[in-house]
Amino acid sequence: MSRSPNVSVPQPVIHHDAALRVIGAAVAKAESMGIRVCVAVVDSAGTLAAFVRMPGAFLISGELAQKKAHSTAAIGVPAELVDQALSQEAPRVREGIVLAGFSLIRGGAALRDGESLIGAVGVSGGSESQDVECAQAAAAALRS
């Protein structure tokens, strides 16, 4: 069966094996830092592909990890870059984005296969800088 032109487009998404590898790398980094986190991986459409909550992680960290991942997938860049770009905008723009469910809390990383965005990872449970380190380690797992 062939596809009709101008009806659909292929969209690269993260494979479940890769999502599990990302989760494992984030958890390994968190363990090496002595913190307990939640890790969420979403596909390029922002749909949850994998999730883990380390025992003892804050309950709210699960929701925050998913928001960080979803927000990163929505734009394809980490929150710190979005935060910098929004610093030039009127306060209502920033407030509108946050009210729409976008998280400006750091701890997300885009997941790419070459140039294609295939998903994003969000980590929550440590400090912002610890979450960023875990997310970066998770994204690096796809490049190795």
Side-chain angles (χ1 to χ4, degrees), residues 19-30 36-42 48-54 57 61-66 69 107 111 120-125 131 134-135 138-139:
L20 293 174
R21 199 163 68 236
V22 167
I23 292 272
V27 167
K29 182 65 174 179
R36 295 182 171 114
V37 299
C38 292
V39 184
V41 175
V42 298
L48 189 64
F51 177 83
V52 70
R53 177 182 177 269
M54 294 173 69
S61 295
E63 183 177 337
L64 289 174
Q66 290 180 57
L111 302 174
V121 59
V123 180
S124 184
D131 291 350
C134 292

